[in-house]
């Protein structure tokens, strides 16, 4: 079978607006989302539907844009989301901070997601009850192309040097780095450093186009924020992860739970990061024994599923009831319970009805 790919750049959502690598601005996020997605919604739906018809699309795959699920349903073709989180759950926290005037945003996102035919759910997932048919796959990670020896040789790093990669998802860390941040005999590889930033002798800039999975696998540990990409690659390649908490991102507790379950991470306070009190955390990271031994072929598994859906060969094996989906979303976390049970937040009718069925 032959699949044809078309590429067309268009802004459909803003994700999370951040003032720096660790700070999410919930109010700015909702304001930008309103300007870029809510106000032009009718135009977006019309243009995207026209585009799908023009290219004669058989399938829409998204990570994880809610609007395209609605567009695909309007056109009459299946849609699939591939993700470990969804924006209705992320934005629910933002609405709590912004007030009830923006609650319709969460409702619209959840309603759009409900049009999605399948969710291919990645490990470390947060509750995503808006999706009706869920397919779990193994860890999806980028493959390695170079060995540890090749990476060190290319970077000119001796075998006896301890390596830590400073990785905030490609975003500048904006840290004022100093020699004394690192224990003796350590070298820090810095992702996202600006061209003008001067680094101490025991810090080294990585090229902007560096292939980070190879670097992570070659490093003794990593410092950064929790996100699916960094957590999955740290687990897959057994790189201890020293992570710094990021507020207003509901994905984090579930990734953290997975990382700690496999003995792969410890938390560093933001104050310790900024003040350079790194040594005890790096030394503690060296005592960790990451033990993730599950499959890491989720990319191949997901690709096969997507092909079968596009060809009409894949059908939902279980039709979850609304109550069952709410049960699947239940987690022993105070923040999640507070968000779901908040009286002044409008939530989808099926969600509320399911809660009543369960006696929640």
């Amino acid at each position: 079978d032959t699949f044809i790919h078309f590429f067309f750049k268009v802004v459909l959502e803003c994700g999370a607006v951040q003032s720096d690598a660790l700070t999410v601005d919930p109010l700015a996020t909702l304001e930008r989302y309103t300007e870029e997605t809510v106000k032009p919604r009718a135009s977006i739906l019309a243009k995207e539907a026209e585009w799908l018809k023009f290219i004669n699309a058989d399938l829409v795959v998204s990570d994880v844009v809610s609007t395209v699920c609605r567009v695909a349903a309007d056109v009459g073709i299946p849609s699939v989301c591939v993700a470990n989180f969804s924006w209705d759950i992320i934005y629910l926290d933002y609405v709590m901070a912004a007030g009830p005037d923006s609650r319709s945003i969460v409702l619209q996102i959840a309603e759009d997601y409900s049009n999605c035919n399948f969710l291919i759910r990645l490990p470390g997932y947060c509750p995503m009850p808006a999706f009706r048919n869920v397919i779990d796959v193994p860890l999806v990670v980028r493959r390695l192309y170079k060995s540890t020896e090749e990476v060190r040789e290319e970077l000119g790093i001796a075998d006896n040097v301890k390596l830590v990669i400073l990785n905030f998802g490609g975003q500048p860390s904006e840290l004022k780095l100093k020699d004394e941040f690192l224990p003796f005999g350590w070298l820090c590889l810095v992702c996202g450093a600006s061209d003008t930033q001067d680094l101490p002798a025991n810090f080294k800039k990585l090229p902007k186009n560096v292939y980070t999975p190879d670097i992570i696998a070659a490093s003794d540990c990593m410092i950064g924020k929790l996100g699916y990409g960094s957590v999955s690659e740290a687990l897959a390649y057994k790189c201890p992860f020293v992570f710094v908490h990021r507020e207003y991102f509901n994905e984090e507790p579930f990734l953290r739970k997975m990382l700690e379950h496999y003995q792969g991470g410890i938390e560093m306070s933001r104050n310790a990061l900024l003040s350079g009190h790194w040594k005890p955390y790096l030394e503690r990271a060296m005592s960790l024994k990451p033990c993730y031994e599950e499959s890491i072929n989720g990319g191949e598994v997901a690709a096969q599923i997507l092909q079968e859906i596009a060809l009409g060969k894949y059908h939902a094996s279980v039709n979850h009831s609304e109550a069952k989906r709410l049960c699947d979303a239940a987690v022993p976390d105070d923040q999640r319970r507070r968000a779901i049970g908040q009286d002044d937040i409008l939530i989808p009718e099926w969600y509320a009805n399911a809660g009543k069925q369960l006696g929640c």
Side-chain angles (χ1 to χ4, degrees):
D1 298 299
T2 301
F3 290 85
I4 301 174
H5 303 273
F6 295 88
F7 295 92
F8 181 67
K9 187 174 182 179
V10 61
V11 176
L12 297 176
E13 66 171 25
C14 63
V17 176
Q18 296 186 213
S19 56
D20 59 46
L22 288 171
T23 307
V24 175
D25 188 332
L27 301 183
T29 299
L30 294 176
E31 289 173 1
R32 183 179 295 181
Y33 188 87
T34 298
E35 293 299 318
E36 294 182 353
T37 305
V38 176
K39 291 183 178 179
R41 177 177 172 82
S43 174
I44 290 173
L45 293 176
K47 289 180 179 178
E48 291 302 298
E50 181 181 2
W51 171 250
L52 291 178
K53 292 175 183 176
F54 173 73
I55 65 173
N56 195 27
D58 296 295
L59 176 66
V60 173
V61 184
S62 173
D63 171 28
V64 62
V65 182
S66 60
T67 310
V68 301
C69 301
R70 168 62 186 276
V71 174
D74 290 345
V75 175
I77 61 176
S79 63
V80 179
C81 285
V82 184
N84 67 302
F85 74 90
S86 56
W87 287 109
D88 53 337
I89 299 301
I90 302 297
Y91 283 5
L92 192 57
D93 238 7
Y94 301 2
V95 171
M96 291 173 66
D101 289 346
S102 55
R103 63 190 181 183
S104 61
I105 290 176
V106 171
L107 177 59
Q108 185 65 72
I109 293 173
E111 185 177 319
D112 285 347
Y113 281 143
S114 71
N115 290 288
C116 184
N117 295 79
F118 296 96
L119 167 67
I120 295 180
R121 189 168 62 180
L122 306 178
Y125 58 84
C126 71
M128 292 183 279
F131 294 93
R132 301 181 182 278
N133 295 298
V134 177
I135 308 166
D136 287 305
V137 298
L139 207 65
V140 174
V141 297
R142 292 176 289 179
R143 67 183 65 183
L144 300 181
Y145 290 99
K146 297 176 183 177
S147 67
T148 294
E149 293 73 23
E150 289 172 322
V151 170
R152 283 181 172 260
E153 183 178 355
E154 287 185 7
L155 294 175
I157 300 170
D159 293 340
N160 63 339
V161 174
K162 288 288 187 182
L163 274 184
V164 55
I165 176 174
L166 187 65
N167 179 21
F168 286 91
Q171 295 174 308
S173 62
E174 299 179 356
L175 295 171
K176 295 181 179 179
L177 303 168
K178 298 179 182 179
D179 286 310
E180 58 265 27
F181 285 13
L182 299 175
F184 179 76
W186 283 70
L187 177 69
C188 181
L189 303 176
V190 182
C191 295
S194 66
D195 295 333
T196 58
Q197 185 177 4
D198 292 324
L199 298 182
N202 52 355
F203 288 81
K204 182 181 182 66
K205 294 181 186 179
L206 288 172
K208 296 190 184 304
N209 63 346
V210 69
Y211 188 66
T212 52
D214 286 341
I215 305 297
I216 291 172
S219 297
D220 293 285
C221 69
M222 176 165 58
I223 297 176
K225 63 182 179 181
L226 295 178
Y228 179 82
S230 56
V231 170
S232 64
E233 286 162 2
L235 286 173
Y237 304 124
K238 296 182 171 55
C239 178
F241 195 167
V242 179
F243 59 87
V244 184
H245 172 62
R246 176 173 48 157
E247 293 183 352
Y248 289 112
F249 219 80
N250 282 341
E251 171 193 23
E252 183 177 294
F254 306 95
L255 291 174
R256 173 175 180 158
K257 181 179 179 181
M258 179 172 68
L259 185 65
E260 293 180 341
H261 176 76
Y262 292 103
Q263 304 175 44
I266 59 169
E267 181 178 2
M268 173 193 284
S269 70
R270 183 177 299 206
N271 182 60
L273 175 73
L274 297 176
S275 64
H277 190 61
W278 295 9
K279 293 179 183 179
Y281 297 96
L282 295 177
E283 291 167 356
R284 173 74 180 92
M286 289 299 89
S287 70
L288 296 178
K289 303 294 182 184
C291 58
Y292 191 85
E293 300 294 346
E294 309 296 326
S295 298
I296 59 172
N297 67 334
E300 292 85 351
V301 174
Q304 181 63 38
I305 293 170
L306 291 172
Q307 178 173 308
E308 292 180 2
I309 294 172
L311 296 171
K313 297 179 179 178
Y314 197 101
H315 302 283
S317 58
V318 178
N319 184 17
H320 290 302
S321 69
E322 293 173 349
K324 178 63 167 64
R325 286 190 288 122
L326 186 58
C327 278
D328 290 343
V331 290
D333 182 272
D334 290 338
Q335 183 180 14
R336 251 32 94 219
R337 291 201 303 267
R338 184 179 72 251
I340 293 173
Q342 191 79 7
D343 291 337
D344 63 352
I345 299 295
L346 182 61
I347 59 176
E349 183 179 356
W350 65 261
Y351 205 129
N353 289 342
K356 293 176 183 177
Q357 293 178 39
L358 293 169
C360 298

